[in-house]
Amino acid sequence: MNRTRGTIAIGLGAWLLAGCGAFQGQPQPMVRPAAFTALGVTASYLNTDIINGTRARAAKMRAAGIRPLSPAAAPSYMARAAQELRQQTAGIGIDVVQLPDGVLVRVPAQMTFDAGSASIKPQIDATLTEVARTLKSYNQTYIDVLAHTDTSGTPAGNLSLSQKRAAAAAAFLGSRGVARARIASRGLGEASPLYPAEADETQKAANRRLELRLVPYRG
């Protein structure tokens, strides 16, 4: 399994370095700010209640037969999940970071979707499938799927696109065996940027992102 994951990471990493520009004979690295990992971790949308509220989501978890974590077990459980996700995604531009109460997997949107599209790129399928496998293993967690855009276009159009992308990513996880009772999705459009001013294309690229927020299920 580790060898398979390593092969996937190496292959996708090479594709990312080549970028879409490789088809014109000009390899282009993925645009990504140096401080990408730390940005936005304390944002309010990541540190409030889960989508649709804990009470409603916990009822779905109980109905699905998923056992809650004890308060004592939750920290080490989440740390193990984060470590496995980091190993799967190392070196390919996906960040896995700790939150005050959970784990965040942050994927630049250009890796996942074409411009204006809510269809997941086939090039990222293998990596997202491996991520889904880990999420399936650590099933004592809620999963919030969050999608964001930059400020190009209209706020209404950006919100609609982000909602479609979040729903597409949630459906992808469900199709790979992650219990649907654990998943909720939300598009935030341009409302929660990492860079509010968007001074250049690097900052715009950082704002376009897909996030998977894992929160321990404590019953």
Side-chain angles (χ1 to χ4, degrees), residues 22 35 38 40 61 66 99 124 132 135 139 149 167 179 185:
M61 298 282 268
I66 300 171
L99 299 174
I124 198 71
L135 298 182
N139 73 329
T149 69
S185 67

Side-chain angles (χ1 to χ4, degrees), residues 69-83 98 103 138 216 218:
L69 287 164
S70 71
S76 61
Y77 185 87
M78 298 304 292
R80 291 195 304 273
Q83 179 61 26
Q98 295 289 152
V103 175
Y138 289 90
R218 300 187 179 93

